[in-house]
Amino acid sequence: MAVTPIRRRWKTLALATSVVLAGVTVPALTASPAGATAPDNAPSATSAYDDTYYAAAIGKTGSALKTALHDIIDNQTKVSYDGVWTALKVTDQDPNNSNNVKLLYSGISRSKSLNGGDQGDWNREHVWAKSHGDFGTATGPGTDLHHLRPEDVQVNSIRGNKDFDNGGSSFTNSGGSLTDSDSFEPRDAVKGDVARMILYMAVRYEGDDGWPDLEPNDSVTNGSAPYIGRLPVLKQWSAEDPPDSFEQRRNQVIYDQFQHNRNPFIDHPEWVESIW
């Protein structure tokens, strides 16, 4: 399918603002303002972590940047698959209702207590489909919170292990997401979130720690190979849907409370283009 423009309004280009202010304190959980615009070529962001956490990466580009970021973010505390349930209730708390989590693709706010496998429940969606590299739910990529998100059980099943691309048809509880026979398009408000999660996985898992070397490509027929497409579309989504306060807060909570590593593409969205 051809790459087509995203049909959406811009999200607020907050970049790393909440991270800069946060230090090691979890940012406040508030709803994002709507409707702001951002230039196509935003200047490089800075974060409170550039002189410490990202020090070895600052000033690098291309493959050197990717290698430096890998060496930084692969130092993490691993979470068990059971532990993911508890973590998601914190990382994905609805900013408008502390009793609920916000579901990724559908945008539904659902009670934290409704986690499970039945209709009406939410479960643990692997944004990088666990069959793409066949890593399952074992501790490692199968439990990495930077790509695990709460989602309606049926919507999770509809997404399945499809690659990401533009186009398709709506479905029950889609929230604006679309799907067809070989791909899935998230709702506009989280297109960039999805892209940055996929690209985090591609940098974090490079095949040097017993797990597959995960990489994005330009295919929607990747099957069980350790690849997910389509890279040109993911880059487009990341550029047109920059990080908002929900995504930034989530990154901070994972860093502070759970894995103690960060998604660098939330702190520095311009690094997507620098590497790919």
Side-chain angles (χ1 to χ4, degrees), residues 79-81 84-85 88 104-105 123-132 135-151 156-157 159-164 184 194 197-198 201 214 228:
V79 179
S80 71
Y81 199 48
V84 170
W85 287 123
L88 292 182
L104 177 64
Y105 303 133
N123 60 4
R124 297 159 290 188
E125 156 68 345
H126 291 77
V127 177
W128 185 293
K130 58 184 180 289
S131 64
H132 289 236
F135 52 75
T137 61
T139 302
T143 65
D144 196 312
L145 294 172
H146 282 295
H147 85 116
L148 281 159
R149 300 291 293 267
E151 187 49 71
N156 194 343
S157 178
R159 187 270 161 132
N161 68 348
K162 294 174 183 174
D163 294 87
F164 293 105
F184 191 88
V194 166
M197 285 185 276
I198 292 297
M201 293 292 282
L214 306 181
I228 276 188

mmCIF file of all heavy atoms in Angstrom, residues 79-81 84-85 88 104-105 123-132 135-151 156-157 159-164 184 194 197-198 201 214 228:
data_model
loop_
_atom_site.group_PDB
_atom_site.id
_atom_site.type_symbol
_atom_site.label_atom_id
_atom_site.label_comp_id
_atom_site.label_asym_id
_atom_site.label_seq_id
_atom_site.Cartn_x
_atom_site.Cartn_y
_atom_site.Cartn_z
ATOM 1 N N VAL A 79 11.164 -7.030 33.715
ATOM 2 C CA VAL A 79 9.886 -7.249 34.386
ATOM 3 C C VAL A 79 9.347 -8.614 33.967
ATOM 4 O O VAL A 79 9.469 -9.000 32.798
ATOM 5 C CB VAL A 79 8.882 -6.137 34.004
ATOM 6 C CG1 VAL A 79 7.533 -6.350 34.678
ATOM 7 C CG2 VAL A 79 9.448 -4.764 34.351
ATOM 8 N N SER A 80 8.751 -9.353 34.892
ATOM 9 C CA SER A 80 8.136 -10.638 34.541
ATOM 10 C C SER A 80 6.840 -10.393 33.778
ATOM 11 O O SER A 80 6.262 -9.294 33.817
ATOM 12 C CB SER A 80 7.839 -11.454 35.798
ATOM 13 O OG SER A 80 6.769 -10.861 36.523
ATOM 14 N N TYR A 81 6.346 -11.445 33.086
ATOM 15 C CA TYR A 81 5.106 -11.260 32.334
ATOM 16 C C TYR A 81 3.933 -11.015 33.272
ATOM 17 O O TYR A 81 3.049 -10.213 32.969
ATOM 18 C CB TYR A 81 4.856 -12.461 31.433
ATOM 19 C CG TYR A 81 3.867 -12.171 30.313
ATOM 20 C CD1 TYR A 81 3.990 -11.035 29.529
ATOM 21 C CD2 TYR A 81 2.815 -13.048 30.032
ATOM 22 C CE1 TYR A 81 3.099 -10.763 28.508
ATOM 23 C CE2 TYR A 81 1.925 -12.783 29.005
ATOM 24 C CZ TYR A 81 2.073 -11.636 28.248
ATOM 25 O OH TYR A 81 1.186 -11.365 27.230
ATOM 26 N N VAL A 84 3.902 -7.412 34.327
ATOM 27 C CA VAL A 84 3.415 -6.449 33.341
ATOM 28 C C VAL A 84 2.012 -5.960 33.689
ATOM 29 O O VAL A 84 1.682 -4.785 33.496
ATOM 30 C CB VAL A 84 3.453 -7.060 31.928
ATOM 31 C CG1 VAL A 84 2.727 -6.179 30.917
ATOM 32 C CG2 VAL A 84 4.897 -7.281 31.487
ATOM 33 N N TRP A 85 1.156 -6.851 34.220
ATOM 34 C CA TRP A 85 -0.203 -6.435 34.600
ATOM 35 C C TRP A 85 -0.147 -5.247 35.553
ATOM 36 O O TRP A 85 -0.827 -4.235 35.359
ATOM 37 C CB TRP A 85 -0.945 -7.572 35.294
ATOM 38 C CG TRP A 85 -1.405 -8.726 34.476
ATOM 39 C CD1 TRP A 85 -1.085 -10.034 34.669
ATOM 40 C CD2 TRP A 85 -2.315 -8.711 33.352
ATOM 41 N NE1 TRP A 85 -1.728 -10.829 33.740
ATOM 42 C CE2 TRP A 85 -2.486 -10.048 32.928
ATOM 43 C CE3 TRP A 85 -2.981 -7.692 32.672
ATOM 44 C CZ2 TRP A 85 -3.303 -10.403 31.856
ATOM 45 C CZ3 TRP A 85 -3.797 -8.033 31.594
ATOM 46 C CH2 TRP A 85 -3.955 -9.359 31.197
ATOM 47 N N LEU A 88 1.360 -1.923 33.859
ATOM 48 C CA LEU A 88 0.506 -1.213 32.916
ATOM 49 C C LEU A 88 -0.567 -0.390 33.616
ATOM 50 O O LEU A 88 -1.030 0.627 33.077
ATOM 51 C CB LEU A 88 -0.143 -2.194 31.939
ATOM 52 C CG LEU A 88 0.800 -2.885 30.948
ATOM 53 C CD1 LEU A 88 0.012 -3.788 30.002
ATOM 54 C CD2 LEU A 88 1.626 -1.879 30.157
ATOM 55 N N LEU A 104 -4.762 1.398 24.001
ATOM 56 C CA LEU A 104 -3.937 2.001 22.962
ATOM 57 C C LEU A 104 -4.676 2.259 21.656
ATOM 58 O O LEU A 104 -4.783 3.399 21.217
ATOM 59 C CB LEU A 104 -2.714 1.105 22.705
ATOM 60 C CG LEU A 104 -1.772 1.557 21.588
ATOM 61 C CD1 LEU A 104 -1.123 2.896 21.923
ATOM 62 C CD2 LEU A 104 -0.703 0.490 21.311
ATOM 63 N N TYR A 105 -5.137 1.211 20.999
ATOM 64 C CA TYR A 105 -5.704 1.364 19.658
ATOM 65 C C TYR A 105 -7.131 1.899 19.689
ATOM 66 O O TYR A 105 -7.533 2.667 18.825
ATOM 67 C CB TYR A 105 -5.698 0.022 18.915
ATOM 68 C CG TYR A 105 -4.351 -0.629 18.789
ATOM 69 C CD1 TYR A 105 -4.181 -1.983 19.085
ATOM 70 C CD2 TYR A 105 -3.238 0.090 18.367
ATOM 71 C CE1 TYR A 105 -2.952 -2.602 18.962
ATOM 72 C CE2 TYR A 105 -1.997 -0.524 18.247
ATOM 73 C CZ TYR A 105 -1.865 -1.874 18.549
ATOM 74 O OH TYR A 105 -0.638 -2.481 18.433
ATOM 75 N N ASN A 123 -6.164 -6.701 27.805
ATOM 76 C CA ASN A 123 -5.001 -7.569 28.002
ATOM 77 C C ASN A 123 -3.731 -6.885 27.523
ATOM 78 O O ASN A 123 -3.735 -5.680 27.249
ATOM 79 C CB ASN A 123 -5.213 -8.947 27.360
ATOM 80 C CG ASN A 123 -5.451 -8.879 25.859
ATOM 81 O OD1 ASN A 123 -5.389 -7.809 25.249
ATOM 82 N ND2 ASN A 123 -5.743 -10.016 25.262
ATOM 83 N N ARG A 124 -2.637 -7.637 27.437
ATOM 84 C CA ARG A 124 -1.316 -7.074 27.179
ATOM 85 C C ARG A 124 -0.973 -7.187 25.699
ATOM 86 O O ARG A 124 -0.639 -8.263 25.215
ATOM 87 C CB ARG A 124 -0.274 -7.809 28.036
ATOM 88 C CG ARG A 124 -0.477 -7.664 29.531
ATOM 89 C CD ARG A 124 0.199 -8.769 30.339
ATOM 90 N NE ARG A 124 -0.468 -10.069 30.148
ATOM 91 C CZ ARG A 124 -0.188 -11.161 30.839
ATOM 92 N NH1 ARG A 124 0.757 -11.132 31.764
ATOM 93 N NH2 ARG A 124 -0.836 -12.290 30.606
ATOM 94 N N GLU A 125 -1.054 -6.066 25.016
ATOM 95 C CA GLU A 125 -0.748 -6.030 23.588
ATOM 96 C C GLU A 125 0.747 -5.845 23.359
ATOM 97 O O GLU A 125 1.359 -4.915 23.896
ATOM 98 C CB GLU A 125 -1.516 -4.886 22.918
ATOM 99 C CG GLU A 125 -0.924 -4.335 21.616
ATOM 100 C CD GLU A 125 -0.972 -5.280 20.434
ATOM 101 O OE1 GLU A 125 -1.200 -6.491 20.640
ATOM 102 O OE2 GLU A 125 -0.772 -4.816 19.305
ATOM 103 N N HIS A 126 1.336 -6.740 22.579
ATOM 104 C CA HIS A 126 2.717 -6.584 22.137
ATOM 105 C C HIS A 126 2.696 -5.762 20.843
ATOM 106 O O HIS A 126 2.309 -6.265 19.781
ATOM 107 C CB HIS A 126 3.366 -7.937 21.868
ATOM 108 C CG HIS A 126 3.611 -8.748 23.102
ATOM 109 N ND1 HIS A 126 2.606 -9.435 23.752
ATOM 110 C CD2 HIS A 126 4.751 -8.974 23.810
ATOM 111 C CE1 HIS A 126 3.112 -10.056 24.810
ATOM 112 N NE2 HIS A 126 4.417 -9.797 24.859
ATOM 113 N N VAL A 127 3.095 -4.507 20.924
ATOM 114 C CA VAL A 127 3.081 -3.649 19.740
ATOM 115 C C VAL A 127 4.039 -4.193 18.688
ATOM 116 O O VAL A 127 3.700 -4.277 17.505
ATOM 117 C CB VAL A 127 3.395 -2.192 20.120
ATOM 118 C CG1 VAL A 127 3.452 -1.297 18.879
ATOM 119 C CG2 VAL A 127 2.321 -1.667 21.087
ATOM 120 N N TRP A 128 5.259 -4.580 19.107
ATOM 121 C CA TRP A 128 6.083 -5.409 18.227
ATOM 122 C C TRP A 128 5.567 -6.830 18.427
ATOM 123 O O TRP A 128 5.848 -7.462 19.443
ATOM 124 C CB TRP A 128 7.565 -5.324 18.589
ATOM 125 C CG TRP A 128 8.416 -6.089 17.603
ATOM 126 C CD1 TRP A 128 8.432 -7.438 17.418
ATOM 127 C CD2 TRP A 128 9.327 -5.541 16.651
ATOM 128 N NE1 TRP A 128 9.293 -7.778 16.413
ATOM 129 C CE2 TRP A 128 9.871 -6.626 15.923
ATOM 130 C CE3 TRP A 128 9.753 -4.246 16.336
ATOM 131 C CZ2 TRP A 128 10.807 -6.444 14.911
ATOM 132 C CZ3 TRP A 128 10.688 -4.070 15.329
ATOM 133 C CH2 TRP A 128 11.207 -5.156 14.631
ATOM 134 N N ALA A 129 4.787 -7.317 17.474
ATOM 135 C CA ALA A 129 4.133 -8.621 17.626
ATOM 136 C C ALA A 129 5.153 -9.688 18.003
ATOM 137 O O ALA A 129 6.199 -9.827 17.351
ATOM 138 C CB ALA A 129 3.426 -9.000 16.332
ATOM 139 N N LYS A 130 4.840 -10.437 19.061
ATOM 140 C CA LYS A 130 5.813 -11.385 19.608
ATOM 141 C C LYS A 130 6.155 -12.516 18.664
ATOM 142 O O LYS A 130 7.187 -13.173 18.833
ATOM 143 C CB LYS A 130 5.321 -11.944 20.947
ATOM 144 C CG LYS A 130 3.976 -12.643 20.930
ATOM 145 C CD LYS A 130 3.574 -13.048 22.349
ATOM 146 C CE LYS A 130 2.236 -13.764 22.389
ATOM 147 N NZ LYS A 130 1.110 -12.829 22.122
ATOM 148 N N SER A 131 5.333 -12.752 17.636
ATOM 149 C CA SER A 131 5.669 -13.780 16.648
ATOM 150 C C SER A 131 6.714 -13.288 15.649
ATOM 151 O O SER A 131 7.339 -14.100 14.956
ATOM 152 C CB SER A 131 4.417 -14.221 15.894
ATOM 153 O OG SER A 131 3.871 -13.150 15.152
ATOM 154 N N HIS A 132 6.912 -11.979 15.554
ATOM 155 C CA HIS A 132 7.925 -11.428 14.648
ATOM 156 C C HIS A 132 9.287 -11.526 15.326
ATOM 157 O O HIS A 132 9.776 -10.595 15.946
ATOM 158 C CB HIS A 132 7.609 -9.973 14.295
ATOM 159 C CG HIS A 132 6.433 -9.817 13.393
ATOM 160 N ND1 HIS A 132 6.500 -9.159 12.182
ATOM 161 C CD2 HIS A 132 5.148 -10.233 13.513
ATOM 162 C CE1 HIS A 132 5.305 -9.168 11.602
ATOM 163 N NE2 HIS A 132 4.473 -9.818 12.404
ATOM 164 N N PHE A 135 9.744 -14.448 19.961
ATOM 165 C CA PHE A 135 10.276 -14.348 21.320
ATOM 166 C C PHE A 135 9.218 -14.577 22.391
ATOM 167 O O PHE A 135 9.525 -14.664 23.577
ATOM 168 C CB PHE A 135 10.978 -13.005 21.547
ATOM 169 C CG PHE A 135 10.171 -11.782 21.177
ATOM 170 C CD1 PHE A 135 9.130 -11.334 21.973
ATOM 171 C CD2 PHE A 135 10.474 -11.059 20.026
ATOM 172 C CE1 PHE A 135 8.405 -10.202 21.649
ATOM 173 C CE2 PHE A 135 9.754 -9.924 19.684
ATOM 174 C CZ PHE A 135 8.715 -9.497 20.500
ATOM 175 N N GLY A 136 7.954 -14.695 21.996
ATOM 176 C CA GLY A 136 6.897 -15.059 22.925
ATOM 177 C C GLY A 136 6.742 -14.092 24.079
ATOM 178 O O GLY A 136 6.893 -12.883 23.918
ATOM 179 N N THR A 137 6.455 -14.646 25.256
ATOM 180 C CA THR A 137 6.245 -13.821 26.442
ATOM 181 C C THR A 137 7.348 -14.028 27.487
ATOM 182 O O THR A 137 7.192 -13.648 28.640
ATOM 183 C CB THR A 137 4.881 -14.126 27.082
ATOM 184 O OG1 THR A 137 4.830 -15.511 27.477
ATOM 185 C CG2 THR A 137 3.742 -13.850 26.116
ATOM 186 N N ALA A 138 8.458 -14.609 27.058
ATOM 187 C CA ALA A 138 9.572 -14.812 27.978
ATOM 188 C C ALA A 138 10.151 -13.470 28.398
ATOM 189 O O ALA A 138 10.105 -12.481 27.649
ATOM 190 C CB ALA A 138 10.653 -15.661 27.316
ATOM 191 N N THR A 139 10.706 -13.439 29.601
ATOM 192 C CA THR A 139 11.284 -12.206 30.116
ATOM 193 C C THR A 139 12.378 -11.720 29.179
ATOM 194 O O THR A 139 13.315 -12.438 28.851
ATOM 195 C CB THR A 139 11.865 -12.440 31.523
ATOM 196 O OG1 THR A 139 10.826 -12.905 32.375
ATOM 197 C CG2 THR A 139 12.452 -11.156 32.089
ATOM 198 N N GLY A 140 12.233 -10.487 28.723
ATOM 199 C CA GLY A 140 13.099 -9.911 27.705
ATOM 200 C C GLY A 140 12.221 -9.094 26.775
ATOM 201 O O GLY A 140 11.396 -8.305 27.240
ATOM 202 N N PRO A 141 12.344 -9.274 25.452
ATOM 203 C CA PRO A 141 11.480 -8.518 24.545
ATOM 204 C C PRO A 141 10.005 -8.824 24.749
ATOM 205 O O PRO A 141 9.152 -7.966 24.488
ATOM 206 C CB PRO A 141 11.957 -8.948 23.148
ATOM 207 C CG PRO A 141 12.701 -10.222 23.364
ATOM 208 C CD PRO A 141 13.297 -10.131 24.723
ATOM 209 N N GLY A 142 9.686 -10.017 25.231
ATOM 210 C CA GLY A 142 8.293 -10.376 25.466
ATOM 211 C C GLY A 142 7.667 -9.689 26.650
ATOM 212 O O GLY A 142 6.440 -9.736 26.822
ATOM 213 N N THR A 143 8.472 -9.038 27.485
ATOM 214 C CA THR A 143 7.949 -8.357 28.669
ATOM 215 C C THR A 143 8.411 -6.903 28.751
ATOM 216 O O THR A 143 8.275 -6.268 29.794
ATOM 217 C CB THR A 143 8.366 -9.081 29.958
ATOM 218 O OG1 THR A 143 9.788 -9.010 30.119
ATOM 219 C CG2 THR A 143 7.921 -10.535 29.935
ATOM 220 N N ASP A 144 8.976 -6.385 27.678
ATOM 221 C CA ASP A 144 9.519 -5.026 27.690
ATOM 222 C C ASP A 144 8.386 -4.005 27.673
ATOM 223 O O ASP A 144 7.624 -3.906 26.712
ATOM 224 C CB ASP A 144 10.438 -4.827 26.482
ATOM 225 C CG ASP A 144 11.325 -3.609 26.623
ATOM 226 O OD1 ASP A 144 10.814 -2.526 26.980
ATOM 227 O OD2 ASP A 144 12.543 -3.728 26.366
ATOM 228 N N LEU A 145 8.278 -3.236 28.744
ATOM 229 C CA LEU A 145 7.163 -2.302 28.900
ATOM 230 C C LEU A 145 7.143 -1.204 27.858
ATOM 231 O O LEU A 145 6.082 -0.604 27.614
ATOM 232 C CB LEU A 145 7.218 -1.662 30.295
ATOM 233 C CG LEU A 145 6.988 -2.593 31.479
ATOM 234 C CD1 LEU A 145 7.262 -1.850 32.782
ATOM 235 C CD2 LEU A 145 5.570 -3.157 31.462
ATOM 236 N N HIS A 146 8.265 -0.946 27.229
ATOM 237 C CA HIS A 146 8.291 0.125 26.240
ATOM 238 C C HIS A 146 7.479 -0.217 24.989
ATOM 239 O O HIS A 146 7.224 0.679 24.167
ATOM 240 C CB HIS A 146 9.723 0.481 25.871
ATOM 241 C CG HIS A 146 10.419 1.339 26.886
ATOM 242 N ND1 HIS A 146 10.020 2.627 27.177
ATOM 243 C CD2 HIS A 146 11.481 1.076 27.698
ATOM 244 C CE1 HIS A 146 10.816 3.138 28.114
ATOM 245 N NE2 HIS A 146 11.703 2.217 28.450
ATOM 246 N N HIS A 147 7.069 -1.483 24.819
ATOM 247 C CA HIS A 147 6.186 -1.789 23.687
ATOM 248 C C HIS A 147 4.954 -2.590 24.100
ATOM 249 O O HIS A 147 4.186 -3.027 23.227
ATOM 250 C CB HIS A 147 6.955 -2.518 22.567
ATOM 251 C CG HIS A 147 7.042 -4.015 22.743
ATOM 252 N ND1 HIS A 147 6.461 -4.900 21.849
ATOM 253 C CD2 HIS A 147 7.634 -4.766 23.698
ATOM 254 C CE1 HIS A 147 6.701 -6.137 22.254
ATOM 255 N NE2 HIS A 147 7.412 -6.092 23.372
ATOM 256 N N LEU A 148 4.736 -2.767 25.379
ATOM 257 C CA LEU A 148 3.543 -3.459 25.874
ATOM 258 C C LEU A 148 2.514 -2.432 26.327
ATOM 259 O O LEU A 148 2.834 -1.542 27.124
ATOM 260 C CB LEU A 148 3.902 -4.398 27.022
ATOM 261 C CG LEU A 148 4.513 -5.726 26.580
ATOM 262 C CD1 LEU A 148 5.303 -6.359 27.711
ATOM 263 C CD2 LEU A 148 3.424 -6.669 26.108
ATOM 264 N N ARG A 149 1.294 -2.553 25.826
ATOM 265 C CA ARG A 149 0.259 -1.582 26.143
ATOM 266 C C ARG A 149 -1.068 -2.303 26.415
ATOM 267 O O ARG A 149 -1.328 -3.378 25.854
ATOM 268 C CB ARG A 149 0.057 -0.607 24.964
ATOM 269 C CG ARG A 149 1.294 0.194 24.591
ATOM 270 C CD ARG A 149 1.680 1.214 25.640
ATOM 271 N NE ARG A 149 0.710 2.271 25.764
ATOM 272 C CZ ARG A 149 0.773 3.443 25.107
ATOM 273 N NH1 ARG A 149 1.779 3.680 24.276
ATOM 274 N NH2 ARG A 149 -0.144 4.366 25.289
ATOM 275 N N PRO A 150 -1.943 -1.735 27.249
ATOM 276 C CA PRO A 150 -3.258 -2.335 27.464
ATOM 277 C C PRO A 150 -4.148 -2.158 26.237
ATOM 278 O O PRO A 150 -4.132 -1.095 25.595
ATOM 279 C CB PRO A 150 -3.813 -1.566 28.676
ATOM 280 C CG PRO A 150 -3.084 -0.274 28.673
ATOM 281 C CD PRO A 150 -1.735 -0.533 28.074
ATOM 282 N N GLU A 151 -4.904 -3.205 25.901
ATOM 283 C CA GLU A 151 -5.845 -3.126 24.771
ATOM 284 C C GLU A 151 -7.010 -4.065 24.993
ATOM 285 O O GLU A 151 -6.874 -5.101 25.656
ATOM 286 C CB GLU A 151 -5.136 -3.447 23.454
ATOM 287 C CG GLU A 151 -6.001 -3.217 22.212
ATOM 288 C CD GLU A 151 -6.668 -1.844 22.240
ATOM 289 O OE1 GLU A 151 -5.960 -0.837 22.073
ATOM 290 O OE2 GLU A 151 -7.900 -1.791 22.468
ATOM 291 N N ASN A 156 -7.212 -6.465 20.324
ATOM 292 C CA ASN A 156 -5.892 -7.088 20.307
ATOM 293 C C ASN A 156 -5.872 -8.258 19.332
ATOM 294 O O ASN A 156 -4.925 -8.436 18.544
ATOM 295 C CB ASN A 156 -5.530 -7.553 21.721
ATOM 296 C CG ASN A 156 -4.064 -7.896 21.877
ATOM 297 O OD1 ASN A 156 -3.349 -8.092 20.910
ATOM 298 N ND2 ASN A 156 -3.617 -7.985 23.124
ATOM 299 N N SER A 157 -6.914 -9.053 19.364
ATOM 300 C CA SER A 157 -7.004 -10.201 18.461
ATOM 301 C C SER A 157 -7.110 -9.766 17.002
ATOM 302 O O SER A 157 -6.531 -10.391 16.109
ATOM 303 C CB SER A 157 -8.206 -11.064 18.841
ATOM 304 O OG SER A 157 -8.352 -12.158 17.968
ATOM 305 N N ARG A 159 -5.885 -6.992 15.686
ATOM 306 C CA ARG A 159 -4.557 -6.578 15.249
ATOM 307 C C ARG A 159 -3.676 -7.813 15.008
ATOM 308 O O ARG A 159 -2.946 -7.891 14.012
ATOM 309 C CB ARG A 159 -3.911 -5.643 16.274
ATOM 310 C CG ARG A 159 -2.571 -5.028 15.763
ATOM 311 C CD ARG A 159 -1.388 -5.881 16.130
ATOM 312 N NE ARG A 159 -0.206 -5.635 15.356
ATOM 313 C CZ ARG A 159 0.990 -5.460 15.879
ATOM 314 N NH1 ARG A 159 1.141 -5.434 17.191
ATOM 315 N NH2 ARG A 159 2.043 -5.343 15.094
ATOM 316 N N GLY A 160 -3.750 -8.784 15.915
ATOM 317 C CA GLY A 160 -2.967 -10.006 15.753
ATOM 318 C C GLY A 160 -1.489 -9.701 15.627
ATOM 319 O O GLY A 160 -0.923 -8.963 16.433
ATOM 320 N N ASN A 161 -0.858 -10.249 14.582
ATOM 321 C CA ASN A 161 0.569 -9.979 14.368
ATOM 322 C C ASN A 161 0.804 -9.221 13.071
ATOM 323 O O ASN A 161 1.870 -9.291 12.471
ATOM 324 C CB ASN A 161 1.370 -11.280 14.369
ATOM 325 C CG ASN A 161 1.057 -12.162 13.172
ATOM 326 O OD1 ASN A 161 0.096 -11.927 12.440
ATOM 327 N ND2 ASN A 161 1.865 -13.198 12.965
ATOM 328 N N LYS A 162 -0.204 -8.449 12.646
ATOM 329 C CA LYS A 162 -0.094 -7.705 11.388
ATOM 330 C C LYS A 162 0.960 -6.610 11.484
ATOM 331 O O LYS A 162 1.148 -5.993 12.535
ATOM 332 C CB LYS A 162 -1.444 -7.082 11.026
ATOM 333 C CG LYS A 162 -2.534 -8.095 10.691
ATOM 334 C CD LYS A 162 -3.866 -7.411 10.492
ATOM 335 C CE LYS A 162 -4.974 -8.428 10.219
ATOM 336 N NZ LYS A 162 -6.320 -7.785 10.162
ATOM 337 N N ASP A 163 1.620 -6.372 10.365
ATOM 338 C CA ASP A 163 2.512 -5.237 10.243
ATOM 339 C C ASP A 163 1.698 -3.945 10.201
ATOM 340 O O ASP A 163 0.473 -3.975 10.047
ATOM 341 C CB ASP A 163 3.350 -5.373 8.968
ATOM 342 C CG ASP A 163 4.291 -6.551 9.017
ATOM 343 O OD1 ASP A 163 3.872 -7.671 8.645
ATOM 344 O OD2 ASP A 163 5.451 -6.367 9.421
ATOM 345 N N PHE A 164 2.392 -2.811 10.307
ATOM 346 C CA PHE A 164 1.718 -1.508 10.332
ATOM 347 C C PHE A 164 1.817 -0.832 8.971
ATOM 348 O O PHE A 164 2.869 -0.804 8.341
ATOM 349 C CB PHE A 164 2.339 -0.612 11.404
ATOM 350 C CG PHE A 164 2.094 -1.116 12.804
ATOM 351 C CD1 PHE A 164 3.112 -1.732 13.525
ATOM 352 C CD2 PHE A 164 0.847 -0.997 13.391
ATOM 353 C CE1 PHE A 164 2.896 -2.201 14.812
ATOM 354 C CE2 PHE A 164 0.614 -1.469 14.680
ATOM 355 C CZ PHE A 164 1.644 -2.069 15.389
ATOM 356 N N PHE A 184 -2.255 -3.131 9.801
ATOM 357 C CA PHE A 184 -3.049 -2.464 10.826
ATOM 358 C C PHE A 184 -2.618 -1.009 10.890
ATOM 359 O O PHE A 184 -1.416 -0.707 10.883
ATOM 360 C CB PHE A 184 -2.823 -3.140 12.179
ATOM 361 C CG PHE A 184 -3.774 -2.706 13.257
ATOM 362 C CD1 PHE A 184 -4.994 -3.352 13.432
ATOM 363 C CD2 PHE A 184 -3.453 -1.662 14.113
ATOM 364 C CE1 PHE A 184 -5.878 -2.956 14.437
ATOM 365 C CE2 PHE A 184 -4.317 -1.274 15.121
ATOM 366 C CZ PHE A 184 -5.531 -1.912 15.282
ATOM 367 N N VAL A 194 3.122 4.430 18.386
ATOM 368 C CA VAL A 194 3.391 3.093 17.851
ATOM 369 C C VAL A 194 4.738 3.067 17.119
ATOM 370 O O VAL A 194 5.553 2.163 17.309
ATOM 371 C CB VAL A 194 2.246 2.657 16.915
ATOM 372 C CG1 VAL A 194 2.652 1.445 16.072
ATOM 373 C CG2 VAL A 194 0.990 2.350 17.722
ATOM 374 N N MET A 197 7.627 3.117 19.567
ATOM 375 C CA MET A 197 7.775 1.842 20.263
ATOM 376 C C MET A 197 8.483 0.820 19.384
ATOM 377 O O MET A 197 9.365 0.081 19.843
ATOM 378 C CB MET A 197 6.405 1.326 20.714
ATOM 379 C CG MET A 197 5.841 2.059 21.909
ATOM 380 S SD MET A 197 4.297 1.342 22.523
ATOM 381 C CE MET A 197 3.113 2.116 21.429
ATOM 382 N N ILE A 198 8.087 0.751 18.120
ATOM 383 C CA ILE A 198 8.719 -0.184 17.184
ATOM 384 C C ILE A 198 10.205 0.141 17.028
ATOM 385 O O ILE A 198 11.072 -0.754 17.056
ATOM 386 C CB ILE A 198 8.002 -0.139 15.825
ATOM 387 C CG1 ILE A 198 6.580 -0.705 15.933
ATOM 388 C CG2 ILE A 198 8.813 -0.882 14.758
ATOM 389 C CD1 ILE A 198 6.515 -2.163 16.316
ATOM 390 N N MET A 201 12.335 -0.874 19.950
ATOM 391 C CA MET A 201 12.633 -2.306 19.948
ATOM 392 C C MET A 201 13.760 -2.638 18.987
ATOM 393 O O MET A 201 14.612 -3.500 19.252
ATOM 394 C CB MET A 201 11.376 -3.098 19.597
ATOM 395 C CG MET A 201 10.277 -3.028 20.645
ATOM 396 S SD MET A 201 10.693 -3.874 22.187
ATOM 397 C CE MET A 201 10.414 -5.586 21.700
ATOM 398 N N LEU A 214 16.025 -7.431 16.019
ATOM 399 C CA LEU A 214 14.768 -6.891 15.512
ATOM 400 C C LEU A 214 15.042 -5.659 14.648
ATOM 401 O O LEU A 214 15.790 -4.774 15.052
ATOM 402 C CB LEU A 214 13.845 -6.519 16.669
ATOM 403 C CG LEU A 214 13.553 -7.625 17.692
ATOM 404 C CD1 LEU A 214 12.595 -7.111 18.766
ATOM 405 C CD2 LEU A 214 12.988 -8.872 17.018
ATOM 406 N N ILE A 228 9.445 -5.895 11.219
ATOM 407 C CA ILE A 228 8.092 -5.314 11.157
ATOM 408 C C ILE A 228 8.127 -4.139 10.195
ATOM 409 O O ILE A 228 9.078 -3.345 10.188
ATOM 410 C CB ILE A 228 7.591 -4.887 12.549
ATOM 411 C CG1 ILE A 228 6.975 -6.083 13.280
ATOM 412 C CG2 ILE A 228 6.574 -3.758 12.451
ATOM 413 C CD1 ILE A 228 6.279 -5.756 14.578
#
